[in-house]
Amino acid sequence: MWNSQTNSYNQPQQPQYPPYQGAPPQPYGQPQQQNYGAPQQPPYGAPPPPQQQSWNAQAPPPVPQHPSTYNSYAPPPPPPQQNSYNSYQPPPPPQNSYGAPPFNQQQQQQYPPPPQQQQGAYGAPPQQQYGAAPPFQQQGYNAGGGAIWILGVEDAPLDGMNTGMPMGAPNGYLPDMDTSRLRGATKGFGTDEATIISVLAPLSPLQMHSLRRAYEANVGRSLMKTLEKETRGWFEWALRGLVLGPLGFDVWLLNHSMKGIGSNEDLMTELLIGRTNSEINWLKAGYRAVYNKDLVSAVKGELSAKTERMFLMALTGNRDETTYVNPQAVSADVQTLYRCGPGKMGTDEIAIFSILLLRSPAHLNAISTLYLQQHHHPLTRLVTGEFSGHVKSALLYVAEAAEKGPEARDAHLLEAAMKGMGTKDERLIWRIVRAHWDRPRFEAIKRAYMGLYGQTLQARVRGDTSGDYQKLLVAVVGP
């Protein structure tokens, strides 16, 4: 992590966190240490002494060993059994993603916020307890059945990613039936686009993975190859996002953002900024599996100067994901942001990057509230006054989520893809497809859009697109 915190003049002071209370946890599988005053061992050959009853005679039961996952999270329980065709729904993630309040709650909340258990970005599963070594360090890369959680839902590994996960069809889903429907829709003269939409739009990531495998096994060609042959334009582009799934589409978009002359920093911002540590690691693994390249090296080759340093800091996967908000640390960060920005000549970019990119969502929300109280202007004004270009856009992506909530920020980005002369179709597709996987969160985005712009997102999309491309996006958005 970039670290500019020194004790020199005009440099931020290291925030003091409360000391850890209690004895350090015992490693898994190790015996408990003997208490003071324990009886000595008898000499060799002597009969064992009788068991003595003491106030602490019963040792606590051993800590249960949970299956390790690559991102150090314990996956949620599997969804309930469904018996109807295509009725499988993923488990709902926890509300209040990014640790920020919903868009319609009062932002001037009483500071400091109470310490409560909140989830990470996009409703990621809860973090492992303090003191447990990450499974990545315990067992090695992608070992032993690690579930992939990305964009708030569970996804399947890409080809070349060995997670040790047995990937059968989700309960209640019959991929062979959908394979037959897609085969009929693309066989012979002409294409039945309506059937393609009705099959693909409702599927979850795990269902889509099962369909891809079944289609290739039964037809002898990948589903994506068939769709590339049968469809064109933005309709094909949106279908690609659905068929590849959350991880596959993000990896494809990363490569797309760095393909050709120049790079698409706005797309890179939405793919890399604000992600959980586990998501960053899965993106690295997926990028290497698909393109046989190191993602960090690829980013270094595309960017330079402050933009490069900002994205490389995000790619460390070293973000603070604790759920407790330390008021003293929040106050220290607010002082640092002011001293390194409006409070000095010039800007200490690295110090500001370290706070905005590597603090937890709940911590950033508390920073936003306290910064407004102390300096009488929002955190977003600090960003717009101190930065420009792609760096400003990326930091505003963080600051707006901290101030308004990530759902309201995402609703604003959806509107930005449609307003003005002409629709920015590429942006509209990646924003809708990536958001729709986590349906409860997407419903919150749709409510935020309605509150901000006075119409439903579906009606806005229908009025701004046309043809089969329109029908697909309207089906994905839902009522």
Side-chain angles (χ1 to χ4, degrees):
M1 182 180 77
W2 300 99
N3 187 3
S4 62
Q5 297 185 348
T6 65
N7 291 323
S8 60
Y9 177 70
N10 270 341
Q11 296 298 322
Q13 298 293 325
Q14 180 72 22
Q16 296 297 319
Y17 290 87
Y20 173 75
Q21 299 295 328
Q26 295 289 336
Y28 288 149
Q30 297 297 324
Q32 299 289 330
Q33 293 183 357
Q34 193 171 9
N35 295 329
Y36 177 81
Q40 298 181 353
Q41 295 295 328
Y44 178 75
Q51 296 291 332
Q52 297 183 359
Q53 194 73 16
S54 66
W55 66 275
N56 194 20
Q58 290 187 346
V63 179
Q65 185 70 32
H66 294 283
S68 297
T69 59
Y70 170 66
N71 60 5
S72 78
Y73 290 132
Q81 296 284 338
Q82 300 284 346
N83 295 322
S84 59
Y85 169 66
N86 263 1
S87 62
Y88 169 80
Q89 294 295 332
Q95 299 297 320
N96 198 16
S97 57
Y98 284 95
F103 77 98
N104 57 353
Q105 288 185 0
Q106 182 69 21
Q107 296 297 319
Q108 298 295 329
Q109 53 185 311
Q110 183 67 32
Y111 179 82
Q116 56 183 352
Q117 295 297 322
Q118 300 181 15
Q119 302 291 353
Y122 292 107
Q127 193 174 9
Q128 191 167 335
Q129 291 184 353
Y130 173 83
F136 176 79
Q137 298 175 3
Q138 291 176 345
Q139 298 184 359
Y141 178 63
N142 278 355
I148 298 174
W149 277 79
I150 192 159
L151 296 179
V153 291
E154 186 178 1
D155 198 6
L158 307 180
D159 292 341
M161 293 175 62
N162 179 23
T163 62
M165 297 170 60
M167 297 304 300
N171 292 331
Y173 178 63
L174 304 175
D176 290 340
M177 294 182 63
D178 277 351
T179 295
S180 298
R181 295 177 66 196
L182 290 173
R183 179 63 175 155
T186 57
K187 186 178 180 181
F189 182 76
T191 304
D192 184 355
E193 290 86 359
T195 296
I196 295 176
I197 293 171
S198 67
V199 170
L200 298 181
L203 297 186
S204 72
L206 295 183
Q207 288 175 326
M208 191 69 74
H209 172 76
S210 180
L211 175 61
R212 289 197 308 266
R213 294 178 61 189
Y215 188 93
E216 188 164 0
N218 294 333
V219 179
R221 179 171 61 181
S222 73
L223 177 57
M224 196 62 242
K225 289 292 184 183
T226 298
L227 295 177
E228 287 173 349
K229 179 182 177 182
E230 298 291 332
T231 60
R232 296 288 183 273
W234 295 121
F235 182 52
E236 176 199 337
W237 225 87
L239 287 173
R240 181 186 302 275
L242 293 177
V243 171
L244 291 179
L247 179 58
F249 191 40
D250 272 12
V251 167
W252 186 86
L253 287 172
L254 278 169
N255 187 65
H256 178 73
S257 71
M258 298 181 282
K259 194 173 182 179
I261 300 176
S263 54
N264 188 338
E265 285 85 355
D266 289 342
L267 175 54
M268 294 176 69
T269 292
E270 295 181 40
L271 293 170
L272 298 178
I273 301 298
R275 305 301 290 268
T276 65
N277 297 335
S278 61
E279 286 179 316
I280 290 293
N281 290 327
W282 286 123
L283 289 174
K284 291 177 182 178
Y287 193 83
R288 180 173 290 280
V290 175
Y291 299 105
N292 197 27
K293 298 178 183 177
D294 178 66
L295 180 57
V296 174
S297 299
V299 169
K300 284 182 179 179
E302 288 290 326
L303 306 174
S304 60
K306 291 181 290 186
T307 308
E308 176 187 331
R309 299 170 80 179
M310 177 184 64
F311 280 109
L312 291 182
M313 188 177 289
L315 278 168
T316 60
N318 196 29
R319 190 181 187 193
D320 178 17
E321 294 182 334
T322 56
T323 57
Y324 172 66
V325 177
N326 186 316
Q328 291 78 22
V330 171
S331 179
D333 279 349
V334 168
Q335 295 177 24
T336 298
L337 287 170
Y338 186 80
R339 284 202 312 266
C340 295
K344 65 172 292 186
M345 293 294 294
T347 304
D348 186 345
E349 295 93 355
I350 300 303
I352 296 177
F353 291 171
S354 298
I355 293 174
L356 295 185
L357 299 181
L358 301 181
R359 297 294 189 263
S360 71
H363 187 98
L364 289 172
N365 179 249
I367 285 177
S368 173
T369 301
L370 185 60
Y371 191 91
L372 179 63
Q373 291 176 357
Q374 291 189 354
H375 302 291
H376 308 291
H377 63 265
L379 191 60
T380 49
R381 184 184 296 183
L382 178 149
V383 173
T384 56
E386 299 294 324
F387 298 94
S388 61
H390 298 301
V391 173
K392 180 179 78 172
S393 298
L395 297 183
L396 280 176
Y397 186 79
V398 177
E400 288 178 357
E403 288 181 3
K404 307 171 185 177
E407 290 81 12
R409 177 205 59 194
D410 291 351
H412 172 74
L413 290 173
L414 286 167
E415 173 63 19
M418 294 181 282
K419 72 178 181 180
M421 293 296 294
T423 303
K424 304 170 185 65
D425 298 280
E426 183 177 299
R427 294 170 184 253
L428 182 62
I429 291 170
W430 85 55
R431 287 168 182 168
I432 286 180
V433 171
R434 295 182 72 244
H436 97 284
W437 297 114
D438 188 346
R439 294 307 304 190
R441 184 176 187 275
F442 194 34
E443 292 302 317
I445 293 173
K446 289 158 62 176
R447 290 193 297 270
Y449 187 91
M450 182 71 179
L452 290 171
Y453 302 106
Q455 63 176 322
T456 66
L457 179 61
Q458 188 188 68
R460 182 73 165 100
V461 169
R462 181 182 285 112
D464 224 60
T465 55
S466 61
D468 295 320
Y469 164 52
Q470 175 204 65
K471 296 174 184 177
L472 176 60
L473 287 190
V474 167
V476 171
V477 170

